[in-house]
Amino acid sequence: MTTPNPNARYPSLVDRSVFITGGASGIGATLVERFVEQGARVGFIDIDEAAGQALAAQLTSAGARNAPLFVKADVTDIDALFAAIDRVRAANGPITALLNNAANDMRHSIEETTPQSWDKGVAVNLRHQFFCAQKVAPDMREAGGGSIINFGSVSWMLKQGGMPVYTTSKSAVQGLTRSLARDLGHANIRVNTLVPGWVMTEKQIRMWVKEDSYEEIARGQCINKKLMPEHIAAMALFLAADDSAMCTAQDFVVDGGWT
């Protein structure tokens, strides 16, 4: 569990029903922690049942105003995804903040990509974001508004190679955001893309960060500090809260100035 955030408090997030995908580890786990700290009613899903249950138990035992609800679900299984949303809605009330965080940035080459692996990559990195938004939009309409936060990536902006399905999917997220913002704006539903840079999660450090990676970061970022999950969560809180009431169809890049 990360250190409690001493910074901004958002009264509008207290008791707000929030749904987070991929919330058991990495950026997602920090999102769950920070929204719970704000007093929100948090439901989150992940395929890692052990990590999800452990996080929910840890936050509950720490005395959260509202105990988070974890539901095991695979975002590529739309029926299971919808069932999880229904369960969270039944427990926490109509969902008015959606954080489409789940993704998988496994490296892959052009040569090894097949039609099947392409479809699988799109399903985990893009498709579920649309269907989550479709599913929760009625809740937000009835509530008089809401916030959908789609998670992108700077990888395609930096012309990063070695994972064409991931970068293609993440570039498409920003197009999805803008189309949803137009279609849902009349209902006071805001849709934005939160675009992280290279965030130093445990997974990134274990799998992708090499000896010379910090030199690359120092050359690329304007602010030569490690980008951490809490930096991403701080932007997510603002975008989910009423404080960002007139922010929609935008890309909010948190990357230390790399792009």
Side-chain angles (χ1 to χ4, degrees), residues 134-157:
Q134 180 194 63
K135 182 69 171 177
V136 304
D139 286 5
M140 296 182 179
R141 288 191 186 97
E142 292 179 12
S147 175
I148 296 172
I149 305 169
N150 297 324
F151 279 67
S153 170
V154 299
S155 57
W156 68 272
M157 300 178 184

Side-chain angles (χ1 to χ4, degrees), residues 44-85:
F44 69 104
I45 64 171
D46 204 288
I47 57 174
D48 189 339
E49 184 172 15
Q53 289 181 343
L55 178 60
Q58 181 181 30
L59 294 173
T60 299
S61 65
R65 173 189 173 97
N66 295 305
L69 171 63
F70 169 71
V71 181
K72 181 183 179 181
D74 183 343
V75 295
T76 67
D77 181 341
I78 301 302
D79 289 339
L81 178 62
F82 282 0
I85 291 173

Side-chain angles (χ1 to χ4, degrees), residues 13 24 31 50 55 57 59 81 83 120 122 149 157 173 190 218 243:
L13 293 179
L31 293 173
L55 178 60
L59 294 173
L81 178 62
K120 184 177 180 180
V122 171
I149 305 169
M157 300 178 184
V173 168
R190 299 177 290 108
D243 300 66

Side-chain angles (χ1 to χ4, degrees), residues 75-160:
V75 295
T76 67
D77 181 341
I78 301 302
D79 289 339
L81 178 62
F82 282 0
I85 291 173
D86 287 338
R87 182 174 169 187
V88 169
R89 179 190 295 112
N92 294 344
I95 296 165
T96 54
L98 166 66
L99 289 86
N100 279 320
N101 165 73
N104 189 337
D105 65 345
M106 290 298 294
R107 275 45 171 177
H108 54 278
S109 68
I110 293 173
E111 293 76 15
E112 69 184 315
T113 301
T114 65
Q116 293 76 24
S117 68
W118 179 276
D119 290 346
K120 184 177 180 180
V122 171
V124 74
N125 293 307
L126 173 65
R127 186 180 67 167
H128 68 90
Q129 298 205 22
F130 170 81
F131 284 103
C132 279
Q134 180 194 63
K135 182 69 171 177
V136 304
D139 286 5
M140 296 182 179
R141 288 191 186 97
E142 292 179 12
S147 175
I148 296 172
I149 305 169
N150 297 324
F151 279 67
S153 170
V154 299
S155 57
W156 68 272
M157 300 178 184
L158 298 173
K159 298 177 287 292
Q160 184 173 343

